[in-house]
Amino acid sequence: MEKASFSLRSSAYLDALTQEIERKLQRALAYPSQRLKVLQELFADIALEVDDRAREMIVRTEQDTISPAEDSIHGQLCFYDVLADYYVEAPKQGKPILDLIVQLWSQSFASHIFSLLFHKWLFEVQLDNSEVLLRFSSALVQGATNVFWIDIHTNTRRFQSFFGIQKLKVEPVLLHYFSQLKALQGMELRMTTSTRLKACLYSFTSPGGPMYPTRTVRHAAWDALDLLFPVGRYPRHLISLFFRLLYPWYWPSSCWNFIVSCIKAVLYSVLGLIFSSWAKLEEPKMS
């Protein structure tokens, strides 16, 4: 009973915040002369740290929480942390805000607000329109870059939790994202987007430990890189091999993996020949 009452009170509070955000976006859309000021104020509002009174209404002290407080860094919980989780759980509540932001794409701070409020939603939603997905992804990258430099210039960590969501570093999640990148094959990306994507994929191909990608992730990154950027495929692998040779302590594991891969390839080939031979021997009997 207490849990249900708390959930209703939290939902009501988050709905009120959502309505306030929607109201400010409508104001920015209706009054072009005030857009920059309104969007800047809205960005500052959602970047504020949740005070004690609001925290009591949003986050339970027990394990069950309406929005995971463990995403906060060193106890700091900002409004965008809470709202980003809320719009994943209740996407209909965030749709009016998203529609208004789309109408304000070209305005300053629009990408900032989008990236903070919908960075988790974007990874959960299924979008059939590739152009819309590309537009949202581009806005996410742009907004994330902007808020990153805001922290750098102000020497703060206000947006550290935005870049520290650890689930993205889990191997199954990375493999899933790499497998879905095939949807970008054949699409004409902007030079800056293409360069950033290529650099990001290449960064996942470096071996090492313990914080470097696993062998499975590295191979998935190589496959995605070769699929999306076939030009320069062989020079990339040669350069990677050259740098691997500069680190002798990687040689034993590389040689062992190479031997295992060769043995598996030979074994699969032999099994394939055996099964095909059996199939040919069985055909006369069947006839």
Side-chain angles (χ1 to χ4, degrees), residues 49-74:
E49 185 175 356
V50 178
D51 55 26
D52 294 336
R53 178 176 176 275
R55 185 185 287 262
E56 291 177 357
M57 300 183 66
I58 297 173
V59 182
R60 289 180 63 89
T61 56
E62 293 83 5
Q63 293 182 352
D64 53 329
T65 61
I66 194 168
S67 53
E70 63 266 19
D71 286 345
S72 60
I73 302 296
H74 302 303

Side-chain angles (χ1 to χ4, degrees), residues 82-218:
V82 179
L83 290 169
D85 290 317
Y86 182 57
Y87 295 148
V88 171
E89 297 175 359
K92 291 183 180 179
Q93 301 298 326
K95 189 177 185 304
I97 293 178
L98 183 61
D99 293 339
L100 289 170
I101 292 177
V102 169
Q103 299 180 60
L104 296 166
W105 270 139
S106 60
Q107 304 300 315
S108 299
F109 293 98
S111 63
H112 302 51
I113 297 171
F114 170 79
S115 61
L116 292 181
L117 294 181
F118 295 100
H119 62 279
K120 295 184 178 180
W121 169 87
L122 185 59
F123 288 105
E124 297 288 341
V125 71
Q126 295 292 333
L127 296 176
D128 297 330
N129 192 324
S130 58
E131 293 184 1
V132 174
L133 177 60
L134 182 61
R135 182 188 303 176
F136 285 167
S137 301
S138 178
L140 176 64
V141 172
Q142 181 181 354
T145 302
N146 292 333
V147 299
F148 171 78
W149 283 110
I150 289 176
D151 265 358
I152 294 296
H153 291 313
T154 58
N155 194 25
T156 60
R157 296 184 178 182
R158 177 69 63 183
F159 306 107
Q160 186 174 355
S161 63
F162 178 69
F163 298 96
I165 305 178
Q166 294 292 334
K167 297 176 182 178
L168 295 180
K169 298 182 180 180
V170 179
E171 182 178 285
V173 178
L174 287 172
L175 295 177
H176 172 72
Y177 288 152
F178 288 148
S179 66
Q180 296 302 311
L181 284 176
K182 61 183 180 182
L184 298 178
Q185 186 180 17
M187 296 184 61
E188 295 184 2
L189 304 178
R190 292 189 303 174
M191 181 62 68
T192 53
T193 304
S194 176
T195 302
R196 289 173 180 172
L197 179 58
K198 189 184 300 184
C200 179
L201 289 174
Y202 196 78
S203 66
F204 282 100
T205 64
S206 301
M211 298 301 293
Y212 283 79
T214 62
R215 186 170 183 269
T216 305
V217 171
R218 295 199 307 270

Side-chain angles (χ1 to χ4, degrees), residues 16-67:
L17 289 180
T18 298
Q19 293 174 7
E20 180 64 18
I21 294 174
E22 185 178 352
R23 185 186 67 80
K24 288 191 175 182
L25 289 173
Q26 290 174 343
R27 179 184 171 190
L29 195 62
Y31 301 99
S33 61
Q34 301 180 15
R35 283 179 184 172
L36 177 60
K37 180 180 179 182
V38 173
L39 291 177
Q40 188 174 6
E41 290 177 352
L42 178 56
F43 170 71
D45 289 342
I46 63 176
L48 283 176
E49 185 175 356
V50 178
D51 55 26
D52 294 336
R53 178 176 176 275
R55 185 185 287 262
E56 291 177 357
M57 300 183 66
I58 297 173
V59 182
R60 289 180 63 89
T61 56
E62 293 83 5
Q63 293 182 352
D64 53 329
T65 61
I66 194 168
S67 53

